[in-house]
Amino acid sequence: MTEREALPSGGKAAYITEEVRRRIIEKEWRQGERIPDEAELAAEFGVARATVNKALQMLAEEGLLDRRRRAGTRVAVNPVRKASFSIPIVREQVEAAGMSYSHRLISQSRSPLPERHAARLGLPAGEVLIHQRAVHYGDRRPFQLEDRWINPRAVPGIETVDFHHMNANEWLVRNAPYLRAELNFSACSAGVRDARLLETKPEQALLILNRTTWNDSGPITTVRLAFHPGYVMTATT
Amino acid sequence: MTEREALPSGGKAAYITEEVRRRIIEKEWRQGERIPDEAELAAEFGVARATVNKALQMLAEEGLLDRRRRAGTRVAVNPVRKASFSIPIVREQVEAAGMSYSHRLISQSRSPLPERHAARLGLPAGEVLIHQRAVHYGDRRPFQLEDRWINPRAVPGIETVDFHHMNANEWLVRNAPYLRAELNFSACSAGVRDARLLETKPEQALLILNRTTWNDSGPITTVRLAFHPGYVMTATT
């Protein structure tokens, strides 16, 4: 008990969280139903209202409860649980899989932004951005192919980076915190260039992730990642 | 101001959250760096330590800060922002896209769990589960194909549901809250059966999502979803 009591009411709030979760899972409180208010729960559990509030807030963040001022707290009908998708440093991913990492910058240029990216990025087509193609390797086999646009206006200092030595993925993760990201998952048949760079055959099914990040100066980068055939991306709640 | 003050210190905590976020984004506080402690920030902002604590906790949950007892609070090196992946009710998804929804149950049986699912589910191979194949349609065109196993021991009452009328996806979302989910994204070339049910050609690249959910009685369901060609799944932080 000593350790639990050392946490400011953490033990009690955790107990209430578990108990409320149990009541929802076992259908004592059903989806859509209003649950007792904080004062009632505080009396039932013999704790301060703030402790109940903390516990319910955790469950609301998990998506099990819907909390509305005035309307009270209800069991969520369709719990939105948040799955973790960090933006990984690919080098670390490859090394964590026990492979040796390498990287090849295929091309880099300052190029006018194509129409197809302009609307999503909220930038005018034709604006000059940094355009790169690169391959990440694990044990010299292609792991992931990237086709990336970087907005230098959102990332001061990027124009002086030598991307032959530090790849853009790792540089951006370490140096350009983002406020917002959008991820789009799809599948496509490898075109001739994808197949050549991934050292696979054309028409092979590939998992594609288009990812765009923003900070308060605008879009940072948009990247199309094509993974080697057979790659599985996992997220857990 | 009246409404903000009605929130218990919500306005002040929100201000501190914004200001700390700004310092991180603008690199006044750099990634990996230790930030001032709660007492210093409380003095700087003229608020209670509890308010600072609340603000920093929100930023930690967003992934911008790393908080360790004793080691203090640092700007996260690789912020893990959480992307929202709810488990949608497919009928609602289809209708939200302006299409009329229909559903076809292709097969249903009580079948022994195959070896390939056993380890992931934490159930013995051969245990009898409900096995279903079904197609969701939008305007009578295949939208999504599912191959699903349901564990009746985790979902009391499911054995009496008529899945010709209520599809398993909607029934489970409404009736079986989960504690934990695992999502696996991949791509595959459509096999003959996938192609026939999705009314596309074999070898077409398909986005595949394998999704498993658990409650405290064990695994609820594991499902392989194959999306119609061209489908894009989006998540935002």
Side-chain angles (χ1 to χ4, degrees):
Chain A
M1 278 307 285
T2 326
E3 254 195 66
R4 292 187 100 179
E5 282 169 1
L7 295 168
S9 74
K12 285 176 191 165
Y15 170 76
I16 296 169
T17 302
E18 281 315 303
E19 173 60 17
V20 169
R21 189 186 279 126
R22 187 193 64 74
R23 292 180 189 182
I24 295 170
I25 299 300
E26 296 183 359
K27 308 269 189 80
E28 287 175 31
W29 294 346
R30 302 185 70 91
Q31 290 178 269
E33 198 175 284
R34 188 165 171 170
I35 72 169
D37 66 23
E38 280 181 14
E40 291 170 74
L41 292 172
E44 179 188 341
F45 291 110
V47 298
R49 272 184 66 165
T51 306
V52 171
N53 181 279
K54 187 175 164 186
L56 299 185
Q57 199 51 41
M58 276 173 60
L59 291 163
E61 281 160 16
E62 275 184 28
L64 273 184
L65 294 176
D66 268 338
R67 307 192 81 190
R68 305 259 169 88
R69 247 181 306 165
R70 282 187 278 275
T73 299
R74 291 176 187 275
V75 179
V77 171
N78 184 4
V80 177
R81 294 194 162 254
K82 297 198 167 187
S84 285
F85 269 106
S86 63
I87 298 190
I89 293 177
V90 181
R91 179 182 58 72
E92 291 180 349
Q93 258 187 313
V94 165
E95 289 172 354
M99 297 182 288
S100 81
Y101 174 79
S102 55
H103 170 261
R104 185 158 69 102
L105 184 61
I106 308 289
S107 67
Q108 175 167 298
S109 60
R110 294 173 53 86
S111 300
L113 184 68
E115 194 75 55
R116 69 178 182 284
H117 293 310
R120 183 158 30 92
L121 293 183
L123 292 177
E127 180 152 332
V128 174
L129 270 62
I130 300 169
H131 183 210
Q132 283 192 358
R133 286 204 183 82
V135 187
H136 301 274
Y137 298 87
D139 283 348
R140 303 198 174 276
R141 284 191 302 275
F143 177 80
Q144 178 184 308
L145 172 64
E146 59 175 70
D147 186 321
R148 181 187 292 278
W149 293 83
I150 305 169
N151 176 15
R153 275 158 294 280
V155 197
I158 195 148
E159 311 227 36
T160 63
V161 178
D162 178 356
F163 288 111
H164 290 88
H165 292 107
M166 168 66 107
N167 71 73
N169 157 257
E170 183 157 359
W171 194 91
L172 288 167
V173 169
R174 292 195 183 280
N175 294 282
Y178 58 96
L179 286 174
R180 188 160 71 83
E182 184 180 303
L183 292 79
N184 288 298
F185 292 88
S186 57
C188 83
S189 291
V192 173
R193 182 162 58 193
D194 285 345
R196 180 169 41 84
L197 292 173
L198 286 173
E199 299 171 19
T200 185
K201 56 183 202 298
E203 305 302 320
Q204 175 72 49
L206 301 178
L207 176 65
I208 305 294
L209 170 56
N210 282 286
R211 190 174 60 206
T212 306
T213 53
W214 288 264
N215 65 20
D216 55 8
S217 302
I220 299 172
T221 188
T222 188
V223 62
R224 173 189 182 270
L225 304 175
F227 294 89
H228 67 84
Y231 182 75
V232 178
M233 183 177 289
T234 296
T236 52
T237 57
Chain B
M1 277 309 282
T2 326
E3 253 194 68
R4 293 187 101 180
E5 282 170 359
L7 293 169
S9 73
K12 286 177 191 164
Y15 170 76
I16 296 168
T17 302
E18 281 315 303
E19 173 60 17
V20 169
R21 187 185 280 125
R22 187 193 64 75
R23 291 180 189 182
I24 295 170
I25 299 299
E26 296 183 1
K27 308 265 189 85
E28 287 175 31
W29 293 345
R30 303 184 70 90
Q31 290 178 267
E33 197 175 284
R34 188 165 172 171
I35 73 169
D37 66 24
E38 281 182 14
E40 291 170 75
L41 292 171
E44 178 188 341
F45 291 111
V47 298
R49 272 185 65 165
T51 306
V52 171
N53 182 279
K54 187 175 164 186
L56 299 186
Q57 198 51 41
M58 276 172 61
L59 292 163
E61 280 160 18
E62 275 184 29
L64 274 184
L65 294 176
D66 267 338
R67 307 192 82 191
R68 306 259 168 88
R69 248 180 304 167
R70 280 187 279 274
T73 298
R74 290 175 186 276
V75 180
V77 171
N78 183 4
V80 177
R81 296 198 158 248
K82 296 197 167 188
S84 283
F85 270 106
S86 63
I87 297 191
I89 292 177
V90 181
R91 179 182 58 74
E92 292 180 348
Q93 257 188 315
V94 165
E95 289 172 354
M99 296 182 288
S100 82
Y101 174 79
S102 53
H103 170 261
R104 186 159 67 102
L105 184 60
I106 308 290
S107 67
Q108 174 167 300
S109 61
R110 294 174 53 86
S111 299
L113 184 67
E115 193 76 54
R116 68 177 182 283
H117 292 311
R120 183 158 32 93
L121 293 182
L123 291 178
E127 181 152 331
V128 174
L129 269 63
I130 299 169
H131 183 210
Q132 284 192 357
R133 287 203 182 82
V135 187
H136 301 273
Y137 298 88
D139 284 349
R140 305 199 173 275
R141 286 191 302 275
F143 177 79
Q144 178 184 309
L145 171 63
E146 58 175 71
D147 187 321
R148 180 186 292 277
W149 294 82
I150 305 169
N151 175 15
R153 277 160 293 281
V155 197
I158 196 149
E159 310 227 37
T160 64
V161 178
D162 178 355
F163 288 111
H164 290 88
H165 293 106
M166 167 66 104
N167 71 73
N169 157 257
E170 184 158 357
W171 194 91
L172 288 167
V173 169
R174 293 195 183 280
N175 294 282
Y178 59 97
L179 287 173
R180 187 160 71 83
E182 184 180 304
L183 291 79
N184 289 298
F185 293 88
S186 58
C188 83
S189 292
V192 173
R193 181 160 61 192
D194 285 344
R196 181 169 42 84
L197 292 173
L198 286 173
E199 298 171 19
T200 186
K201 55 181 202 299
E203 306 302 320
Q204 174 73 50
L206 301 178
L207 176 64
I208 305 294
L209 170 56
N210 282 286
R211 189 175 62 206
T212 306
T213 53
W214 287 264
N215 66 20
D216 56 8
S217 303
I220 299 171
T221 189
T222 188
V223 61
R224 172 188 183 270
L225 304 175
F227 295 88
H228 67 83
Y231 181 75
V232 178
M233 183 178 287
T234 295
T236 52
T237 57

